Amino acid sequence: MKQVYMETFGCQMNVADTDRMEQLLFQSGYLRTSAKENADLVLVNTCSIRDKAEHKIYSLLGTIRPLKKANPDMTLALAGCLAQQEGETLIKKFPYLDMVLGPDAVERVVEAVDYVKTQKKSLVWTEFDQEKKYSIPISDEPAAKTSGPSAYVNIIKGCDKFCSFCIVPFTRGREKSREPYEIYEEVRQLVDRGAKEIILLGQNVNSYGKRDMQPPTPFHELLYGVAEISGVERIRFTTSHPKDFTKEAARAFKDLDILVNQLHLPVQSGNNKVLERMRRGYTVNEYKALIDLLRSEAPDIAFSTDIIVGFPGETDQEFEDTLELMEWVGFDSSYMFSYSPRPGTPATEMEDSVPLEVKKERLQRTIDLQKSLSDRNAKKYIGQVVEVLVEGETVHKDYDFKGRSPHYWMVNFSGGQKTLKSGGLAKIYIESASGHALRGTYRSPN
Ligand code: 5AD
Ligand code: SF4
């Protein structure tokens, strides 16, 4: 078999796209390798959400260049959002690149490799597909790898929200949902291959089924449908948009035991004026009302979020409002970023007025606050028994296994060696916490 080396930057959508390309390449005779020196094909799946992500990719390309020199038969491919954003210019900048594939070209990766090999020419495929439907055909052929206990399933791609800071609507195009039957079929296949937890994936899952679907299937109906599939033991979904989150979807947390009580709900800022400039489509009070609604349906629900600091024009007071909101919600965890101007997005028209030093200082303050919120939340679990989906052995020297709690905390624990294996559910008594991980002892199987 030929060998493919793959590296992924960015979000879960990209990880899922890399997995899909691995599967398609596997079916055409490529096996994934961890050594890029010997690879026939090197494929980098890129991200362009922030400036930093872009720079990392450019420096990786620099390290690949000598490999390509030593082995001119190696095919070098760039896929993903940076590929979509830069297109042809990438080939001009890096003439040793063989192909540039946008996110909509994932399904055609094998065709692209064949083209480069037979035509001995580079290619740039960054057209958005014109199909109204979004389909990832299910194949009965063997999988490239066995599925772990958690499996991601794409349900919607693209984004129509056009938040003023965000490049995603330009790199991933308009929203398109997969038909429910195709999603259910994939879930059944994943369960047959060992998956216990299904994580429904999309840039904005709450917008699922709104367009071009006959009959329309709102997101919550999909949740109820997946929950009926036998063998599914846990369901999560990401990413949610507060504006599109319906009360029916909130209700699902109450109705469905296997929909875990944890939600990633990006807020970005805790100030109405900043939210307006960001074009997020909700106010702080609306966000808080949604949190209250979710808590009334699922009292122990845990939240995580995304925060941007230093958005154009953000004043000290506006920033303080973000800290206040973080405190009010008491997030379990946050992904915190400094605003980074992205080419072609409306926010680049606004003056990037917050000095770098101030951005850094604000970022540090959000990180410090989040750390104390996480520590506070972790303490709630000490002395409790939580259900853990076992992922496998832990590298932690004092413990045997690791897995995730329903609230998405990593749990390292000792005991259970005779009975437990990856994919099992186990009751763990929590004794201590460190960072974003809990530690405990095995009590019993589920
Ligand atoms: N600058 C900083 N952070 C950004 N994000 C998206 N675009 C930018 C940007 N231009 C963050 C948002 C989003 C997460 C995936 O990345 O918080 O929710
Ligand atoms: Fe970007 Fe906003 Fe769409 Fe999220 S909802 S992908 S932040 S445009």
Side-chain angles (χ1 to χ4, degrees):
M1 272 185 122
K2 286 173 279 181
Q3 306 216 318
V4 54
Y5 172 85
M6 304 177 100
E7 196 158 327
T8 311
F9 292 82
C11 65
Q12 283 308 333
M13 298 291 286
N14 256 15
V15 176
D17 285 349
T18 302
D19 286 352
R20 177 66 180 157
M21 289 189 280
E22 181 183 353
Q23 186 184 31
L24 292 166
L25 287 163
F26 178 74
Q27 288 161 5
S28 86
Y30 281 85
L31 199 62
R32 192 160 176 178
T33 172
S34 55
K36 48 179 175 284
E37 304 74 44
N38 309 322
D40 302 283
L41 170 64
V42 170
L43 195 156
V44 183
N45 198 4
T46 64
C47 170
S48 62
I49 194 93
R50 284 169 293 274
D51 196 43
K52 223 171 160 181
E54 253 187 74
H55 287 307
K56 271 198 221 156
I57 292 153
Y58 290 138
S59 57
L60 174 71
L61 281 181
T63 67
I64 293 173
R65 186 181 194 163
L67 302 180
K68 174 91 183 173
K69 253 197 175 147
N71 175 10
D73 284 340
M74 172 191 276
T75 304
L76 179 54
L78 224 70
C81 288
L82 185 64
Q84 185 72 34
Q85 182 189 301
E86 298 295 315
E88 196 71 48
T89 33
L90 283 168
I91 303 267
K92 293 202 180 101
K93 262 196 206 158
F94 306 98
Y96 51 98
L97 253 181
D98 296 297
M99 57 171 132
V100 174
L101 300 175
D104 268 9
V106 163
E107 289 297 313
R108 296 170 70 202
V109 64
V110 172
E111 194 191 328
V113 175
D114 287 348
Y115 178 95
V116 168
K117 289 273 178 214
T118 54
Q119 306 291 312
K120 310 224 172 305
K121 281 200 269 192
S122 62
L123 66 78
V124 177
W125 285 355
T126 50
E127 299 282 294
F128 286 119
D129 63 32
Q130 297 306 312
E131 288 278 316
K132 282 217 152 143
K133 296 233 172 293
Y134 169 33
S135 170
I136 307 176
I138 316 286
S139 125
D140 288 332
E141 293 189 48
K145 56 179 180 193
T146 50
S147 164
S150 298
Y152 286 94
V153 176
N154 286 47
I155 63 165
I156 178 170
K157 68 173 176 177
C159 183
D160 290 357
K161 279 282 170 291
F162 288 93
C163 301
S164 64
F165 51 80
C166 188
I167 195 81
V168 169
F170 303 94
T171 59
R172 289 195 173 257
R174 297 291 60 74
E175 286 171 0
K176 285 178 192 172
S177 302
R178 274 173 97 190
E179 291 286 339
Y181 75 86
E182 199 183 275
I183 294 168
Y184 299 149
E185 200 180 326
E186 184 173 344
V187 170
R188 273 186 222 106
Q189 192 182 61
L190 286 163
V191 169
D192 285 346
R193 290 176 174 170
K196 306 280 192 238
E197 175 177 80
I198 297 297
I199 308 175
L200 303 176
L201 198 59
Q203 235 77 47
N204 176 7
V205 291
N206 309 96
S207 199
Y208 175 82
K210 282 198 180 148
R211 277 177 160 205
D212 298 319
M213 196 178 278
Q214 274 316 323
T217 307
F219 177 58
H220 67 274
E221 277 182 23
L222 186 76
L223 287 175
Y224 288 83
V226 172
E228 270 175 27
I229 297 173
S230 98
V232 178
E233 296 185 14
R234 279 185 181 180
I235 304 174
R236 300 180 191 278
F237 54 83
T238 193
T239 294
S240 290
H241 195 294
K243 182 168 192 265
D244 293 337
F245 212 106
T246 60
K247 55 181 188 317
E248 290 83 3
R251 170 80 197 193
F253 282 97
K254 185 176 203 161
D255 288 348
L256 301 173
D257 286 345
I258 62 171
L259 177 61
V260 292
N261 288 347
Q262 186 267 336
L263 180 66
H264 184 63
L265 195 61
V267 67
Q268 315 296 358
S269 165
N271 176 273
N272 284 339
K273 286 203 185 120
V274 176
L275 287 173
E276 205 178 316
R277 296 204 292 280
M278 287 178 164
R279 303 192 188 160
R280 288 292 289 177
Y282 52 83
T283 61
V284 174
N285 278 344
E286 282 162 347
Y287 185 86
K288 285 178 163 177
L290 179 58
I291 297 276
D292 283 339
L293 171 69
L294 286 153
R295 283 195 168 130
S296 72
E297 302 288 9
D300 72 333
I301 192 166
F303 296 102
S304 60
T305 200
D306 291 346
I307 301 278
I308 297 179
V309 302
F311 188 75
E314 184 189 63
T315 63
D316 284 341
Q317 185 50 50
E318 287 169 346
F319 168 68
E320 296 293 332
D321 291 347
T322 296
L323 297 179
E324 201 179 305
L325 182 71
M326 287 172 73
E327 182 90 50
W328 185 89
V329 179
F331 292 109
D332 264 21
S333 69
S334 297
Y335 298 87
M336 297 152 283
F337 312 104
S338 260
Y339 169 69
S340 162
R342 301 285 69 212
T345 57
T348 54
E349 308 283 304
M350 309 172 196
E351 197 196 341
D352 187 6
S353 54
V354 182
L356 194 64
E357 276 313 304
V358 177
K359 280 185 184 165
K360 274 192 188 161
E361 187 208 320
R362 289 182 187 169
L363 186 64
Q364 193 54 49
R365 285 186 63 200
T366 58
I367 293 169
D368 293 345
L369 172 60
Q370 186 52 57
K371 192 179 173 318
S372 70
L373 296 176
S374 300
D375 288 349
R376 196 193 301 165
N377 289 335
K379 289 205 179 80
K380 287 194 293 210
Y381 300 106
I382 297 175
Q384 305 228 345
V385 173
V386 304
E387 183 194 70
V388 169
L389 178 61
V390 181
E391 283 177 14
E393 288 175 16
T394 171
V395 290
H396 202 299
K397 67 179 175 22
D398 300 325
Y399 297 91
D400 301 311
F401 290 103
K402 65 172 182 184
R404 293 259 176 199
S405 76
H407 293 102
Y408 213 56
W409 287 76
M410 181 53 78
V411 180
N412 289 300
F413 63 94
S414 45
Q417 295 95 320
K418 291 208 180 82
T419 44
L420 286 182
K421 54 179 196 302
S422 169
L425 285 169
K427 293 267 200 266
I428 307 299
Y429 178 72
I430 303 299
E431 287 149 352
S432 63
S434 157
H436 202 77
L438 305 173
R439 297 164 174 188
T441 312
Y442 173 69
R443 275 289 163 85
S444 63
N446 199 35

